[in-house]
Amino acid sequence: MSSSGDIRQRLSAIPHVLADFLHSLPNDHPVQIALRTYALSLSLALGPAFLPFAISAKARRNGLAGLKTILKRELGVSGFAFAMTAGVGGGTAIRMLWDMLATSAEPDVASENKDTNHTWTKLWHWLSSLKDSQKTFISNMLSASVAISLFHSRNGRSSSSASSTTILPSIPPIPADTAQRPRSGVKSSITLDLTLLLLVRAMDSLIERAEKRNSPSPTERDIERRKRRLRTRLDALVFWACSARIMWCFFYEPERLPRSYNKWIMTLANIDGRILTALRALRSGAWSYKRHHSTQPDLLSSHARDLGYPSMWGDVAQLPAYGGKEASAAWKRLGVSGRAGVGGIPCELVHGSVTGGSCTANTMIRGAEAFAEAFAIYLPVHFLPILLTRPRSLLHARSLLRTLLSVLRSASFLSTFVSSIWAAVCLTRTLLLARLFPGVSHDVWDGPFGCTFAGSLVCGGSIWIEHGQRRGEIALYVLPRAIRACLPERWIRSGSRSVKYLERLTFMLSLSTILTAAIHQSESLRGLSRWTVAFVMNGPNAGFWKRKREETSTPPTPAESTPPSDTALPES
């Protein structure tokens, strides 16, 4: 009886012994880094993985079988959490082992094999001559190669069925009539989005490092401020170009965008899928106002009936292709008001159930709806970092007001992004350009270089509403998706060795650059990458994390009460 009690006592003491052992290790020890990386990666992987299981009735009917499949996938060796732990924690372990060997593995000059001894001596001296940052980079390269190999060990699985390695929610795909998905069975890398994300962050780190190489003297502060203003302008330019490409792909080539991102834009745009199908048919020639031809004659007729309008309003054979008197006569015959002098689809069908034929009301309502949704998204984005680091600052009215104003500013940015697209569409096809040039057919105004092109171009200007520091983080968020949308689709899905090895090399170089910068030049990182890597590599006592906790014990100054600009962004 006493022996069993001793066993239970010893077993109960194991967690305490383990906790004491972990607390005895420094925060930058490989074991500590591996534990933090695994915990963070697992939370990022299981959250999106459990989301379909939680909201899908089909997933719930599968019961424990579906849950077991998710856990087996994410807790396995090739899962996101284990692979990232190998890539991040493995680098620090290799670096520590390197230092240990450097002090003990002196070349044996008395070796009988002189050729081998000479080679080893040269190699040892070369390795010893490397800088600390170079040793760290090489160590991270080795561990990153292990990580990407683990990711790619999921043989025979396409990106559509693999788990989310892009740290994005796994949202069910949009309906077939609103997106042209690639045919099944086509090979695709499951890590492409993650690789592009790391590439963008690594390149940003290198650019930031080049700018800060020479620290400014007091007399050069004005020059430094001008450089910062130039950087925010470049961030705005990057966002504008990326958003234009992303929105154009949303209209015409949605398969180039991640499914979850496509779904999110679709929800925010609140546009009927049949309108998007008609736009894509115009681009391919399957729909033409001039020829009064459509391969799907009932496409927009059914949309008109569902909205309560006559089906003739969506009949391509009845719709005028050009503006002028003929268009006015056609609209009078069809019973459409407020569209005299222009052709194309009636605005009532384009606006959908949001409003009637008023383009002004449609733009305002769309903007208000987007503002409400964006406010709900950005509220936790701005408040959670403060609640986690300095919650007492929210007790001060000035700090609370600053944070609330930041939320309103971010919500206004996203609202303007959405409403500007609708305003550009209506100005192009109805209110301005189509009236100025009635001789141009609506195959042009409603085509890929008409209203949708104008909307894609103008929406990026909304970034100027955001704070200067947040422009950079938003630009870094959309840039990987824009790069993905510009890559040749046939080449990406070819499964060729060039794609495989180029992606592997990019992944290894990018992850190594970020991890090396986190240790040797942490100031070159910014935004989400800075917060994440600082916590993983150095723990909660790292830099600003420690300072933020200390700030909770003292009232914040106006400068300290400003909400952090380097917070994670939603899918905007």
Side-chain angles (χ1 to χ4, degrees), residues 88-111:
V88 177
T92 55
I94 294 174
R95 182 70 172 88
M96 177 178 285
L97 181 62
W98 189 336
D99 291 337
M100 294 171 59
L101 292 175
T103 58
S104 60
E106 293 283 347
D108 186 7
V109 296
S111 175

Side-chain angles (χ1 to χ4, degrees), residues 212-522:
K212 295 182 178 180
R213 183 168 298 170
N214 299 318
S215 57
S217 61
T219 58
E220 296 174 331
R221 288 176 181 174
D222 291 339
I223 299 177
E224 181 66 15
R225 281 195 290 268
R226 286 197 292 269
K227 286 183 178 179
R228 290 178 182 176
R229 286 197 295 267
L230 177 61
R231 185 63 181 272
T232 60
R233 292 170 185 169
L234 289 176
D235 289 334
L237 178 62
V238 169
F239 176 82
W240 170 81
C242 292
S243 60
R245 176 60 180 170
I246 288 172
M247 290 309 302
W248 195 89
C249 287
F250 166 75
F251 286 121
Y252 298 107
E253 296 181 350
E255 67 276 3
R256 289 181 173 269
L257 302 175
R259 282 193 303 179
S260 58
Y261 200 56
N262 230 324
K263 176 66 176 180
W264 190 85
I265 297 176
M266 187 74 180
T267 302
L268 195 65
N270 190 18
I271 184 172
D272 193 277
R274 287 167 289 191
I275 295 293
L276 292 177
T277 303
L279 291 174
R280 293 161 192 162
L282 264 169
R283 180 174 178 239
S284 65
W287 174 290
S288 175
Y289 293 106
K290 293 190 295 184
R291 293 184 286 111
H292 298 289
H293 165 74
S294 174
T295 56
Q296 298 175 271
D298 196 48
L299 178 64
L300 293 185
S301 297
S302 62
H303 180 43
R305 288 194 299 270
D306 292 345
L307 293 174
Y309 300 117
S311 60
M312 292 186 299
W313 287 19
D315 186 358
V316 69
Q318 305 288 333
L319 298 175
Y322 299 91
K325 295 181 180 180
E326 294 183 0
S328 300
W331 295 130
K332 186 176 182 179
R333 183 178 69 254
L334 294 173
V336 176
S337 60
R339 197 167 178 78
V342 292
I345 309 169
C347 280
E348 286 83 349
L349 303 190
V350 177
H351 300 163
S353 58
V354 175
T355 183
S358 173
C359 296
T360 303
N362 177 69
T363 301
M364 295 179 65
I365 293 174
R366 300 276 186 175
E369 290 178 344
F371 182 87
E373 185 170 348
F375 187 86
I377 292 173
Y378 280 108
L379 193 65
V381 168
H382 284 270
F383 274 93
L384 278 179
I386 301 178
L387 291 174
L388 293 174
T389 56
R390 53 184 199 280
R392 292 184 183 178
S393 65
L394 294 178
L395 299 177
H396 300 269
R398 181 178 296 180
S399 176
L400 182 63
L401 181 60
R402 282 178 179 270
T403 307
L404 187 59
L405 289 176
S406 296
V407 176
L408 295 174
R409 190 171 185 173
S410 297
S412 299
F413 149 69
L414 198 54
S415 172
T416 305
F417 186 95
V418 174
S419 59
S420 63
I421 296 177
W422 284 100
V425 167
C426 291
L427 285 171
T428 301
R429 70 180 307 271
T430 300
L431 300 177
L432 183 60
L433 294 182
R435 294 186 181 276
L436 291 176
F437 306 99
V440 178
S441 77
H442 268 261
D443 284 357
V444 175
W445 298 129
D446 289 346
F449 298 104
C451 59
T452 53
F453 184 70
S456 300
L457 285 180
V458 302
C459 62
S462 60
I463 191 64
W464 291 103
I465 297 177
E466 263 292 6
H467 189 274
Q469 289 181 323
R470 285 184 60 82
R471 291 175 203 156
E473 183 64 21
I474 297 174
L476 292 176
Y477 178 83
V478 299
L479 184 54
R481 291 154 177 79
I483 295 175
R484 169 64 180 84
C486 293
L487 295 176
E489 194 71 13
R490 181 176 298 179
W491 176 67
I492 290 175
R493 298 185 180 276
S494 64
S496 64
R497 290 187 177 181
S498 62
V499 177
K500 178 181 178 180
Y501 292 123
L502 180 59
E503 188 204 345
R504 287 196 174 203
L505 181 61
T506 303
F507 180 94
M508 293 162 56
L509 290 172
S510 300
L511 182 58
S512 303
T513 299
I514 294 172
L515 296 178
T516 303
I519 296 175
H520 297 281
Q521 289 181 313
S522 59

Side-chain angles (χ1 to χ4, degrees), residues 40-53:
L40 180 60
S41 301
L42 191 62
S43 63
L44 292 172
L46 285 183
F50 274 117
L51 184 59
F53 181 81

